[in-house]
Amino acid sequence: MSALNVGKLTVDAGFLSSATVSLRTSGAGAVTIIARFSVDGQVVRTATSQVRGALSYTRTFSHNLGEGACGKTVRLTVSTSPAAPGGRTRVSAAVPACPTDVTGLRVSLDMAEAPGRAVTARVSVATNGTGAVGLRAAFALNGERVSTTSASLSGRDAYAKDVTHTFARRPCGGTVTVTVRAGGRQATASAAVPCEAAVRQVSVARASLNARGRATAVVSVTATGTQPVRLSVTFTLAGGAQHTESLDLSGQTAYTRTVSFTFAGTPCGSAWGVTASTSPAAANGSDSAGGKTPACRPQTETESPKPDDQRPDTDNSTPDLGLGR
């Protein structure tokens, strides 16, 4: 034996470990090559090859380490008989990390409260290892894709990740969907996008009070959408609130309602009124109308008779009816 050389030790994705051994001899006699594969110091295979009849030889030694060796170190130790100058030769390599499988994938979707424009997908991923896992989240509005986000997860076996998309404007009345894929698994979540109605105007179109104390108001409301609106109508008398009636409106953008209330009493000369407001508040705030009950009648003073007018009745004679003759 004159020289022994061991090439680079490689490990492919299938955990096959290989190296090429070259040697030169000073004669054509028999030489035995001994190759030992070990993983983290534990011998897992020993292979031998006998060569003769030449002065140089090249042999490749391979061994499938299996998934059990993932993330560990493999070493190949080569020796010959008769021994080569310098004795045995060693080479080593790191075995690729164990493949990580996704064992659980969940997602929920949160839409910001109005008038917010952001939607957040809350993703939970569980794995059987700490290797890298690719995550992909795609947002869609009413079935049309609007954005896609990708991320890589590694170093743990459980992850909680938020993925957010912000719309240019709040997609009122639409449905947002997110589809998440990771490690061959898929999860989907959807959320409807509610929006509060904006009220353009509330107005008391007419208000009246009849002689029996019954007040009637015709109220109109104009909204920007069909979402629910609450209308409140308050009846006042002599500066104090006597009754408030609330009505829930929805499904249209314009409403007209007639509301009535009978006061327990309507003192003369008193101010009465009707005030209409909404929730959410109208752009014009509220509107009022009203009037006054009829003025009180002026009191008539009765004059007391003067002393000169009080004459004593002193005539006790019987009137002459002309009957006596």
Side-chain angles (χ1 to χ4, degrees):
M1 281 292 301
S2 59
L4 171 63
N5 181 64
V6 181
K8 180 180 179 180
L9 180 63
T10 61
V11 181
D12 66 15
F15 302 103
L16 181 66
S17 178
S18 303
T20 299
V21 177
S22 302
L23 56 87
R24 294 195 307 273
T25 64
S26 56
V31 176
T32 301
I33 307 171
I34 305 161
R36 291 184 175 87
F37 289 90
S38 61
V39 176
D40 282 357
Q42 181 74 32
V43 176
V44 294
R45 182 173 186 250
T46 300
T48 61
S49 177
Q50 192 174 69
V51 294
R52 67 173 66 196
L55 298 180
S56 63
Y57 307 90
T58 299
R59 295 290 183 271
T60 299
F61 291 89
S62 301
H63 175 57
N64 194 318
L65 303 172
E67 292 187 4
C70 59
K72 300 179 181 179
T73 299
V74 59
R75 174 173 289 179
L76 174 62
T77 303
V78 180
S79 60
T80 60
S81 178
R88 64 188 66 182
T89 300
R90 297 183 179 89
V91 291
S92 60
V95 181
C98 298
T100 298
D101 295 324
V102 174
T103 58
L105 178 63
R106 293 180 300 172
V107 63
S108 62
L109 201 58
D110 292 335
M111 187 72 205
E113 293 184 2
R117 299 178 290 113
V119 61
T120 301
R122 307 193 185 282
V123 183
S124 298
V125 182
T127 64
N128 62 358
T130 60
V133 172
L135 176 72
R136 184 181 178 89
F139 290 95
L141 175 61
N142 298 329
E144 296 288 337
R145 182 171 295 186
V146 293
S147 70
T148 301
T149 300
S150 298
S152 181
L153 310 176
S154 63
R156 294 183 293 177
D157 58 9
Y159 307 88
K161 184 173 181 62
D162 289 352
V163 183
T164 300
H165 171 73
T166 301
F167 292 94
R169 62 179 181 176
R170 185 174 179 85
C172 292
T175 298
V176 179
T177 303
V178 63
T179 301
V180 180
R181 294 180 175 86
R185 290 179 177 255
Q186 177 176 307
T188 302
S190 298
V193 184
C195 290
E196 289 187 357
V199 180
R200 289 195 179 101
Q201 185 178 39
V202 59
S203 62
V204 180
R206 293 190 302 277
S208 62
L209 177 68
N210 66 18
R212 295 185 299 275
R214 184 171 182 80
T216 300
V218 178
V219 181
S220 63
V221 176
T222 304
T224 59
T226 60
Q227 292 80 16
V229 173
R230 170 157 286 200
L231 169 65
S232 296
V233 180
T234 300
F235 295 86
T236 61
L237 181 64
Q242 303 294 310
H243 175 72
T244 297
E245 186 163 340
S246 296
L247 298 87
D248 291 324
L249 313 175
S250 65
Q252 300 176 27
T253 58
Y255 310 88
T256 299
R257 296 292 184 268
T258 300
V259 184
S260 298
F261 171 69
T262 301
F263 295 107
T266 52
C268 58
S270 298
W272 65 272
V274 179
T275 299
S277 60
T278 61
S279 177
N284 67 323
S286 62
D287 192 31
S288 299
K292 274 194 172 186
T293 59
C296 298
R297 294 180 180 179
Q299 294 183 351
T300 303
E301 296 184 1
T302 303
E303 293 185 2
S304 300
K306 296 179 180 180
D308 293 343
D309 295 335
Q310 296 179 358
R311 299 176 180 176
D313 186 7
T314 57
D315 186 3
N316 294 324
S317 62
T318 300
D320 184 1
L321 299 179
L323 298 177
R325 300 272 183 201

